[in-house]
PDB file of all heavy atoms in Angstrom:
ATOM      1  N   ARG A 789     195.298 162.899 138.167  1.00 86.00           N
ATOM      2  CA  ARG A 789     194.006 162.989 137.560  1.00 86.00           C
ATOM      3  C   ARG A 789     193.148 161.776 137.555  1.00 86.00           C
ATOM      4  O   ARG A 789     192.177 161.722 137.001  1.00 86.00           O
ATOM      5  CB  ARG A 789     194.223 163.620 136.114  1.00 86.00           C
ATOM      6  CG  ARG A 789     194.800 164.948 136.168  1.00 86.00           C
ATOM      7  CD  ARG A 789     195.251 165.381 134.765  1.00 86.00           C
ATOM      8  NE  ARG A 789     195.755 166.712 134.806  1.00 86.00           N
ATOM      9  CZ  ARG A 789     196.445 167.318 133.855  1.00 86.00           C
ATOM     10  NH1 ARG A 789     196.708 166.586 132.694  1.00 86.00           N
ATOM     11  NH2 ARG A 789     196.850 168.621 133.901  1.00 86.00           N
ATOM     12  N   GLY A 790     193.652 160.630 138.209  1.00 86.00           N
ATOM     13  CA  GLY A 790     192.826 159.527 138.329  1.00 86.00           C
ATOM     14  C   GLY A 790     192.710 158.699 137.084  1.00 86.00           C
ATOM     15  O   GLY A 790     191.771 157.924 136.972  1.00 86.00           O
ATOM     16  N   LEU A 791     193.713 158.841 136.132  1.00 87.00           N
ATOM     17  CA  LEU A 791     193.604 158.158 134.904  1.00 87.00           C
ATOM     18  C   LEU A 791     194.399 156.891 134.871  1.00 87.00           C
ATOM     19  O   LEU A 791     194.275 156.024 133.987  1.00 87.00           O
ATOM     20  CB  LEU A 791     194.014 159.100 133.693  1.00 87.00           C
ATOM     21  CG  LEU A 791     193.009 160.265 133.509  1.00 87.00           C
ATOM     22  CD1 LEU A 791     193.660 161.292 132.547  1.00 87.00           C
ATOM     23  CD2 LEU A 791     191.644 159.751 132.892  1.00 87.00           C
ATOM     24  N   GLU A 792     195.349 156.856 135.725  1.00 85.00           N
ATOM     25  CA  GLU A 792     196.310 155.592 135.865  1.00 85.00           C
ATOM     26  C   GLU A 792     196.329 155.231 137.281  1.00 85.00           C
ATOM     27  O   GLU A 792     197.201 155.795 138.039  1.00 85.00           O
ATOM     28  CB  GLU A 792     197.661 155.949 135.257  1.00 85.00           C
ATOM     29  CG  GLU A 792     197.707 156.215 133.830  1.00 85.00           C
ATOM     30  CD  GLU A 792     197.460 155.025 132.878  1.00 85.00           C
ATOM     31  OE1 GLU A 792     197.520 153.978 133.512  1.00 85.00           O
ATOM     32  OE2 GLU A 792     197.196 155.240 131.718  1.00 85.00           O
ATOM     33  N   PRO A 793     195.668 154.246 137.806  1.00 83.00           N
ATOM     34  CA  PRO A 793     194.566 153.499 137.095  1.00 83.00           C
ATOM     35  C   PRO A 793     193.298 154.367 137.033  1.00 83.00           C
ATOM     36  O   PRO A 793     193.162 155.353 137.690  1.00 83.00           O
ATOM     37  CB  PRO A 793     194.330 152.332 137.956  1.00 83.00           C
ATOM     38  CG  PRO A 793     194.759 152.718 139.362  1.00 83.00           C
ATOM     39  CD  PRO A 793     195.804 153.729 139.157  1.00 83.00           C
ATOM     40  N   ALA A 794     192.380 153.995 136.145  1.00 81.00           N
ATOM     41  CA  ALA A 794     191.176 154.678 135.942  1.00 81.00           C
ATOM     42  C   ALA A 794     190.159 154.564 137.093  1.00 81.00           C
ATOM     43  O   ALA A 794     190.124 153.523 137.792  1.00 81.00           O
ATOM     44  CB  ALA A 794     190.521 154.265 134.713  1.00 81.00           C
ATOM     45  N   VAL A 795     189.360 155.594 137.329  1.00 77.00           N
ATOM     46  CA  VAL A 795     188.225 155.447 138.259  1.00 77.00           C
ATOM     47  C   VAL A 795     187.193 154.515 137.659  1.00 77.00           C
ATOM     48  O   VAL A 795     186.709 153.600 138.351  1.00 77.00           O
ATOM     49  CB  VAL A 795     187.696 156.880 138.631  1.00 77.00           C
ATOM     50  CG1 VAL A 795     186.451 156.701 139.389  1.00 77.00           C
ATOM     51  CG2 VAL A 795     188.680 157.785 139.215  1.00 77.00           C
ATOM     52  N   ASN A 796     186.896 154.604 136.483  1.00 83.00           N
ATOM     53  CA  ASN A 796     186.040 153.776 135.713  1.00 83.00           C
ATOM     54  C   ASN A 796     186.242 154.024 134.277  1.00 83.00           C
ATOM     55  O   ASN A 796     187.075 154.827 133.839  1.00 83.00           O
ATOM     56  CB  ASN A 796     184.504 153.905 136.077  1.00 83.00           C
ATOM     57  CG  ASN A 796     184.027 155.240 135.894  1.00 83.00           C
ATOM     58  OD1 ASN A 796     184.060 155.767 134.815  1.00 83.00           O
ATOM     59  ND2 ASN A 796     183.482 155.796 136.943  1.00 83.00           N
ATOM     60  N   VAL A 812     188.486 156.307 129.150  1.00 89.00           N
ATOM     61  CA  VAL A 812     189.016 156.112 130.523  1.00 89.00           C
ATOM     62  C   VAL A 812     188.536 157.405 131.325  1.00 89.00           C
ATOM     63  O   VAL A 812     188.855 158.497 130.966  1.00 89.00           O
ATOM     64  CB  VAL A 812     190.573 155.950 130.567  1.00 89.00           C
ATOM     65  CG1 VAL A 812     191.023 155.894 132.016  1.00 89.00           C
ATOM     66  CG2 VAL A 812     190.987 154.751 129.789  1.00 89.00           C
ATOM     67  N   VAL A 813     187.787 157.193 132.337  1.00 88.00           N
ATOM     68  CA  VAL A 813     187.252 158.206 133.228  1.00 88.00           C
ATOM     69  C   VAL A 813     188.060 158.328 134.498  1.00 88.00           C
ATOM     70  O   VAL A 813     188.216 157.386 135.219  1.00 88.00           O
ATOM     71  CB  VAL A 813     185.748 157.995 133.508  1.00 88.00           C
ATOM     72  CG1 VAL A 813     185.158 159.088 134.318  1.00 88.00           C
ATOM     73  CG2 VAL A 813     184.932 157.840 132.185  1.00 88.00           C
ATOM     74  N   GLY A 814     188.561 159.539 134.731  1.00 87.00           N
ATOM     75  CA  GLY A 814     189.398 159.749 135.947  1.00 87.00           C
ATOM     76  C   GLY A 814     188.715 160.468 137.046  1.00 87.00           C
ATOM     77  O   GLY A 814     187.530 160.409 137.121  1.00 87.00           O
ATOM     78  N   ALA A 815     189.451 161.215 137.809  1.00 85.00           N
ATOM     79  CA  ALA A 815     188.991 161.990 138.933  1.00 85.00           C
ATOM     80  C   ALA A 815     188.467 163.328 138.497  1.00 85.00           C
ATOM     81  O   ALA A 815     188.469 163.655 137.286  1.00 85.00           O
ATOM     82  CB  ALA A 815     190.030 162.129 139.977  1.00 85.00           C
ATOM     83  N   ARG A 816     187.918 164.061 139.431  1.00 82.00           N
ATOM     84  CA  ARG A 816     187.373 165.414 139.173  1.00 82.00           C
ATOM     85  C   ARG A 816     188.105 166.328 140.166  1.00 82.00           C
ATOM     86  O   ARG A 816     188.404 166.033 141.294  1.00 82.00           O
ATOM     87  CB  ARG A 816     185.961 165.529 139.220  1.00 82.00           C
ATOM     88  CG  ARG A 816     185.281 165.206 140.422  1.00 82.00           C
ATOM     89  CD  ARG A 816     183.863 165.763 140.587  1.00 82.00           C
ATOM     90  NE  ARG A 816     183.837 167.152 140.632  1.00 82.00           N
ATOM     91  CZ  ARG A 816     182.741 167.880 140.687  1.00 82.00           C
ATOM     92  NH1 ARG A 816     181.587 167.313 140.670  1.00 82.00           N
ATOM     93  NH2 ARG A 816     182.803 169.187 140.779  1.00 82.00           N
ATOM     94  N   TRP A 822     188.174 164.499 134.356  1.00 90.00           N
ATOM     95  CA  TRP A 822     189.265 164.249 133.469  1.00 90.00           C
ATOM     96  C   TRP A 822     188.955 162.857 132.741  1.00 90.00           C
ATOM     97  O   TRP A 822     188.511 161.822 133.400  1.00 90.00           O
ATOM     98  CB  TRP A 822     190.583 164.042 134.267  1.00 90.00           C
ATOM     99  CG  TRP A 822     191.050 165.428 134.874  1.00 90.00           C
ATOM    100  CD1 TRP A 822     190.744 165.827 136.124  1.00 90.00           C
ATOM    101  CD2 TRP A 822     191.694 166.398 134.125  1.00 90.00           C
ATOM    102  NE1 TRP A 822     191.287 167.052 136.297  1.00 90.00           N
ATOM    103  CE2 TRP A 822     191.829 167.418 135.136  1.00 90.00           C
ATOM    104  CE3 TRP A 822     192.189 166.651 132.885  1.00 90.00           C
ATOM    105  CZ2 TRP A 822     192.582 168.609 134.761  1.00 90.00           C
ATOM    106  CZ3 TRP A 822     192.852 167.670 132.513  1.00 90.00           C
ATOM    107  CH2 TRP A 822     192.994 168.761 133.427  1.00 90.00           C
ATOM    108  N   VAL A 823     189.151 162.874 131.437  1.00 91.00           N
ATOM    109  CA  VAL A 823     188.864 161.706 130.616  1.00 91.00           C
ATOM    110  C   VAL A 823     190.028 161.572 129.587  1.00 91.00           C
ATOM    111  O   VAL A 823     190.631 162.587 129.166  1.00 91.00           O
ATOM    112  CB  VAL A 823     187.501 161.913 129.876  1.00 91.00           C
ATOM    113  CG1 VAL A 823     187.243 160.782 128.914  1.00 91.00           C
ATOM    114  CG2 VAL A 823     186.372 162.116 130.907  1.00 91.00           C
ATOM    115  N   ARG A 824     190.235 160.311 129.195  1.00 92.00           N
ATOM    116  CA  ARG A 824     191.256 160.075 128.171  1.00 92.00           C
ATOM    117  C   ARG A 824     190.742 158.923 127.304  1.00 92.00           C
ATOM    118  O   ARG A 824     190.126 157.956 127.745  1.00 92.00           O
ATOM    119  CB  ARG A 824     192.629 159.655 128.764  1.00 92.00           C
ATOM    120  CG  ARG A 824     193.710 159.246 127.841  1.00 92.00           C
ATOM    121  CD  ARG A 824     195.068 159.107 128.523  1.00 92.00           C
ATOM    122  NE  ARG A 824     194.916 158.092 129.405  1.00 92.00           N
ATOM    123  CZ  ARG A 824     195.069 156.782 129.179  1.00 92.00           C
ATOM    124  NH1 ARG A 824     195.202 156.396 127.883  1.00 92.00           N
ATOM    125  NH2 ARG A 824     194.985 155.859 130.109  1.00 92.00           N
TER     126      ARG A 824
END
Side-chain angles (χ1 to χ4, degrees):
R789 293 169 178 167
L791 294 168
E792 294 289 348
V795 174
N796 58 57
V812 177
V813 182
R816 61 162 291 177
W822 296 96
V823 177
R824 179 173 59 82

